[in-house]
Amino acid sequence: MGDSTGHKHKHLEFTLAAVSELSSSSSVSSSSTPVIARFSADDGVAALRFHQGSEFIDGFNVDLGTSQLFKLGPLQSLCVSESADTNKEKSYSRGVSIRFRNEEESRDFHSAFEQWQMESKGTHLPNGDISVSKSKFDNKIEPSSAKMYFHYYGQLLHQQNMLQDYVRTGTYYAAVIENRVDFTGRVVVDVGAGSGILSLFAAQAGAKHVYAVEASEMADYARKLITGNPTLGQRITVIKGKVEEAELPEKADILISEPMGTLLVNERMLESYIIARDQFLVPNGKMFPSTGRIHMAPFSDEYLFVEIANKALFWQQQNYYGVDLTPLYGSAFQGYFSQPVVDAFDPRLLVCPPMCHVLNFNEIKEEDLYEIDIPLKFTASVGTRVHGLACWFDVLFNGSTVQRWLTTAPGAPTTHWYQIRCVLSQPIYVMAGQEITGQLHMIAHNAQSYTIYLTLSAKMWGPGAEQGGIIQTSSCKLDLKEPYYRMSQPQPYTMAQDQQPHQLLQAEDIPPIHTEDLDLEELELLQQPSEPLGAQ
């Protein structure tokens, strides 16, 4: 292996255990002749090529300027490349699976990949240094998504919507003011400051100085609001720009932010929060919030299931102005079920005690948020049809004086986040005491959100179950970026869930859709203890 990743050393090589392309069954192993991954900058284009012996492996060439590398395991990584079709919206169309011989070589390869990619997107200065033309945010986020995101949060009406979420704003205010000891005389960085309200709270709590970092046009409104509160504003500096690009004159003793999106991780601002921690926070500094938990439980809701299924009835028309629409019915049906449902639901719809997945913001790495894998295991409390997985989150403000939780749990006062439900197009049947297993797998994409893969399975139940296996399973793929915003308050359920209302389409009448082609708090409010799955 070479001794430098700079372009002045034209090549850098790694010996691999194996390499394969996901879109085909072809795989190349180094059992006989070693497989070599070679970084090169021929003709000024940074690329990754694969060789076996003296032969170039055709079809495995990777353009580092349009690729991303994901770590799937200690010895396994996935390199995905964008489509070369510039007439279409950017999409990652090729994938190369790479297996390493040991963990050290895996770490070195990832480091080299990042360095070469940085150089491929930068310009060289006369002294040999590199001026990177894009920030880390720009390299991983689609420009059109970022433009829409910052435009949205640059409008006062959307800031008002968040400020008027009194559960959110009131909890932040209480967490700060009740923990004055953490803020008095300290330097604070407000990550994604928005209107500047959290910066003003920190100043009220006695902060020595607050740096409010905001990338959208809201930074100008924040300056105006802070100037209008001169007693507090004299200790607040607004910095307009992305946190990934910001430079501060001093380190922070405490970070404060509201980086949570739907299902905690939507909009991918948690990554910016973690980057700010690494760049600005002193060792052992505090983070408000410091911990996030994603709570999950299977639910049963015939009303919701039939409501979604009925949306596709339009496509069952056989004579729509002389056109038969039924060939598109199956695609439309699956399309509606690919939307996560955002609403506030009755916690009595849950059929199992919830479990939770913990994200420790003090320790988690930014890369850990690129792909989140949560094994699921529940025990049904009742016999019913399970229609999917309900999710919500809470975050902890671990102050020195008071610990305070902000929860979005069903049954708690409704927030602007509501809750979210992933609905299966094929429900599964369970009996009381039956075990439900599965997986919630979330992969970040460049539209500042996640693709969700959900699988739920019902295991053998009753005498002899130990010798049995899975008897039912159902899967779905959803885009967290494109939810179905259903309603703002829990709908009253006056009928038993096993009773069908009079509707256009009864659940049992819905034709089966083949799924084999799919890609794969306060807890007292629920009166159900959450079982921590583990911290990332």
Side-chain angles (χ1 to χ4, degrees), residues 159-470:
Q159 294 292 328
Q160 179 179 336
N161 177 54
M162 293 184 290
L163 291 172
Q164 288 181 319
D165 180 346
Y166 297 113
V167 175
R168 165 195 179 270
T169 307
T171 302
Y172 267 90
Y173 179 78
V176 172
I177 300 302
E178 291 171 349
N179 291 287
R180 288 179 179 271
V181 65
D182 293 321
F183 289 84
T184 300
R186 305 295 173 83
V187 175
V188 179
V189 171
D190 183 357
V191 181
S195 66
I197 191 69
L198 300 185
S199 297
L200 290 162
F201 289 171
Q204 288 183 45
K208 173 185 174 183
H209 200 86
V210 183
Y211 296 95
V213 183
E214 173 57 41
S216 77
E217 295 303 312
M218 188 52 55
D220 298 327
Y221 290 109
R223 286 195 184 101
K224 190 173 183 178
L225 179 63
I226 289 166
T227 301
N229 291 265
T231 304
L232 302 173
Q234 62 185 351
R235 290 180 280 124
I236 302 174
T237 300
V238 176
I239 299 175
K240 187 174 183 180
K242 302 182 184 75
V243 69
E244 291 84 355
E245 303 168 358
E247 295 183 3
L248 302 182
E250 55 187 328
K251 290 287 188 178
D253 302 299
I254 185 167
L255 294 185
I256 189 167
S257 181
E258 194 267 78
M260 301 88 72
T262 308
L263 195 57
L264 184 60
V265 296
N266 189 39
E267 298 181 333
R268 299 184 64 180
M269 189 181 165
L270 276 176
E271 295 167 34
S272 297
Y273 189 40
I274 300 307
I275 290 172
R277 178 202 67 191
D278 295 339
Q279 291 183 179
F280 306 133
L281 193 62
V282 299
N284 301 315
K286 279 193 169 292
M287 300 179 73
F288 271 51
S290 59
T291 302
R293 300 187 299 186
I294 300 174
H295 299 261
M296 301 148 286
F299 72 92
S300 179
D301 192 341
E302 293 286 350
Y303 297 91
L304 175 60
F305 177 79
V306 175
E307 176 188 330
I308 295 175
N310 277 339
K311 291 182 176 184
L313 286 180
F314 170 83
W315 299 97
Q316 285 199 320
Q317 298 179 82
Q318 296 178 330
N319 187 12
Y320 183 73
Y321 295 97
V323 177
D324 182 2
L325 300 182
T326 58
L328 296 181
Y329 170 72
S331 298
F333 185 91
Q334 287 297 341
Y336 284 117
F337 280 93
S338 72
Q339 292 184 283
V341 177
V342 176
D343 69 351
F345 63 84
D346 191 323
R348 290 174 294 181
L349 297 178
L350 302 179
V351 301
C352 303
M355 60 176 285
C356 72
H357 181 74
V358 181
L359 300 177
N360 185 336
F361 302 146
N362 291 294
E363 299 178 358
I364 194 172
K365 298 178 182 178
E366 177 205 353
E367 293 77 11
D368 294 336
L369 295 169
Y370 292 173
E371 189 168 358
I372 302 172
D373 191 27
I374 308 175
L376 305 174
K377 185 176 181 180
F378 308 95
T379 301
S381 302
V382 295
T384 187
R385 292 215 309 172
V386 171
H387 293 102
L389 189 71
C391 305
W392 61 96
F393 71 86
D394 55 20
V395 293
L396 171 65
F397 301 93
N398 190 21
S400 299
T401 305
V402 176
Q403 288 189 334
R404 185 171 286 273
W405 288 91
L406 169 57
T407 181
T408 64
T414 303
T415 70
H416 77 285
W417 290 286
Y418 303 104
Q419 294 96 42
I420 191 166
R421 287 186 282 176
C422 303
V423 186
L424 298 168
S425 62
Q426 295 292 317
I428 60 176
Y429 294 82
V430 297
M431 300 293 291
Q434 190 169 6
E435 186 176 288
I436 303 172
T437 60
Q439 182 183 49
L440 182 65
H441 189 58
M442 299 186 288
I443 301 177
H445 57 65
N446 61 2
Q448 291 174 276
S449 194
Y450 285 78
T451 301
I452 301 174
Y453 298 90
L454 171 66
T455 299
L456 289 179
S457 302
K459 298 190 69 175
M460 189 74 75
W461 180 81
E466 295 79 8
Q467 286 74 43
I470 301 297

Side-chain angles (χ1 to χ4, degrees), residues 102-120:
N102 55 62
E103 293 187 37
E104 181 180 0
E105 291 183 354
S106 173
R107 287 192 298 269
D108 291 343
F109 183 89
H110 274 257
S111 177
F113 187 97
E114 183 176 348
Q115 180 66 27
W116 276 77
Q117 189 173 63
M118 183 179 296
E119 294 189 20
S120 72

Side-chain angles (χ1 to χ4, degrees), residues 130-143:
I130 297 168
S131 173
V132 180
S133 58
K134 290 186 178 182
S135 70
K136 198 168 188 178
F137 178 92
D138 294 329
N139 284 334
K140 66 184 181 183
I141 299 301
E142 174 67 32

